[in-house]
Amino acid sequence: MWVSLALLLLGVLTALAAPRLLSRADWAEREPVVALWVWQCVVAAVLLSFALSMTLSASTAWQAVRGQLFAPAPRAVVDAYELGTSGPWSAVLAVALAAGGAWSGAMLGREIGQARARRRQRRCDLLVRSPLLPGERPGSERLVVLEGERADVWWLSGTTPQLVITTAALRRLKGRQLDAVLAHEQGHARARHDWLLNCSAALAAGFPGIPVFAAFREEMHRLVELAADDVASRRFGRLTIALALVELNEDRGVFGPGSAPETDLPQRVNRLLTAAPRLTTGRRLRLTAAASLVPVVPVLVAFAPALSALG
């Protein structure tokens, strides 16, 4: 029972401490791809801690689960976990964590369903604004130009992804700025950022009181944009993509003194213009390796009694 409690405590402490520690990191804006990986590893460690705690609690509470889980294990390993020595708390903990896992799956399914519904609606709106010509199949064109007075560019994901751009955006974007914006949107598509946003939104909506999930959603929205900015800037230059962002958004009031506090466009443009140097390759590799080890910690805690008994 103590192993499942230790795993539960590890998951709770990670969920509480990780957002504070990562918010103090001064390298996240310089290396958004690494920061994305770190956040994914932290959230994976939290979920893995809860899942392993649920499994061991269930094996403590019910003989059927214990027989399946520890069937091939030596007797010394089974004794090391002290199964069957606790009261009804093991069953309560297992049921509570299982309910949390089922709720997470339901929230993820709902988020994916809503994302698909929004995508279908946007495709229907696109067909209304840009009807198909005779003999043209839906989704056959990867680039769609819409008549519109508002400068806008967006990527429609799905089985037949499409890039949509308005005529106002074509008039505003000069020279290589259009290519930079296209590279930005393609960066989102290649990295499948929509899946990250869906997963983070599902966890935050399902468990609004857990700080790590709320911070995970906020950081995913911010970091995926920074990562896509970097994809475009490496091909066309930081100044080019910064000017393109200004051209696309200056009429929306996001750069003025009365701009909405939740918008991060001014910070993105300032980041591109200041051009802080990237981390060294060695430090990027160390951060990536260290983050990859975070989900290993709950696995080591779960297997510690077995390793001790066998050793």
Side-chain angles (χ1 to χ4, degrees):
M1 180 64 182
W2 69 268
V3 181
S4 60
L5 291 178
L7 287 166
L8 179 64
L9 181 61
L10 176 63
V12 171
L13 290 177
T14 305
L16 293 175
R20 296 182 181 181
L21 294 175
L22 291 176
S23 65
R24 299 173 186 172
D26 58 353
W27 49 265
E29 288 196 354
R30 296 163 62 186
E31 296 295 342
V33 175
V34 177
L36 285 169
W37 176 248
V38 172
W39 270 103
Q40 292 175 73
C41 290
V42 167
V43 172
V46 173
L47 297 177
L48 190 57
S49 297
F50 292 155
L52 290 172
S53 178
M54 177 197 68
T55 303
L56 291 176
S57 297
S59 65
T60 303
W62 297 295
Q63 178 64 40
V65 179
R66 189 186 317 161
Q68 292 291 329
L69 187 63
F70 289 92
R75 183 65 186 178
V77 172
V78 179
D79 293 339
Y81 282 91
E82 300 177 1
L83 302 174
T85 60
S86 63
W89 294 109
S90 295
V92 174
L93 180 60
V95 171
L97 291 174
W103 182 250
S104 300
M107 289 296 101
L108 181 59
R110 187 189 72 168
E111 186 66 30
I112 293 175
Q114 291 178 345
R116 288 178 176 175
R118 289 192 299 267
R119 189 163 59 242
R120 284 194 299 267
Q121 184 60 45
R122 296 189 79 175
R123 289 190 181 278
C124 291
D125 295 341
L126 184 62
L127 286 176
V128 171
R129 298 179 61 185
S130 178
L132 296 176
L133 297 174
E136 188 179 6
R137 291 180 294 105
S140 59
E141 297 295 332
R142 301 294 297 272
L143 177 64
V144 179
V145 179
L146 288 181
E147 186 72 31
E149 295 301 321
R150 181 174 180 175
D152 207 353
V153 182
W154 68 90
W155 183 269
L156 274 179
S157 58
T159 55
T160 55
Q162 290 178 300
L163 184 64
V164 185
I165 184 169
T166 63
T167 53
L170 290 176
R171 288 193 297 267
R172 280 184 169 274
L173 298 175
K174 306 172 182 65
R176 290 158 57 89
Q177 293 175 7
L178 177 59
D179 294 329
V181 171
L182 298 182
H184 174 100
E185 297 298 332
Q186 289 168 353
H188 283 311
R190 280 195 296 268
R192 299 308 302 266
H193 287 159
D194 54 325
W195 280 99
L196 278 178
L197 297 178
N198 288 338
C199 292
S200 62
L203 289 171
F207 305 95
I210 299 183
V212 70
F213 295 149
F216 183 49
R217 177 178 58 182
E218 295 174 3
E219 287 300 293
M220 289 304 98
H221 280 276
R222 186 177 72 94
L223 291 172
V224 296
E225 295 298 336
L226 299 185
D229 288 344
D230 286 349
V231 170
S233 67
R234 291 188 191 110
R235 292 182 59 187
F236 302 101
R238 289 177 174 267
L239 180 60
T240 303
I241 185 63
L243 292 175
L245 291 175
V246 172
E247 290 290 344
L248 287 175
N249 296 280
E250 64 177 349
D251 290 342
R252 303 178 187 181
V254 297
F255 294 104
S259 59
E262 63 272 10
T263 182
D264 60 349
L265 273 168
Q267 290 78 12
R268 287 169 57 193
V269 172
N270 183 66
R271 169 181 174 270
L272 289 167
L273 295 178
T274 53
R278 297 189 64 187
L279 301 180
T280 62
T281 303
R283 189 176 179 189
R284 292 201 302 271
L285 291 175
R286 287 194 297 272
L287 285 171
T288 303
S292 302
L293 293 176
V294 174
V296 179
V297 175
V299 177
L300 292 177
V301 173
F303 281 93
L307 295 174
S308 177
L310 293 175

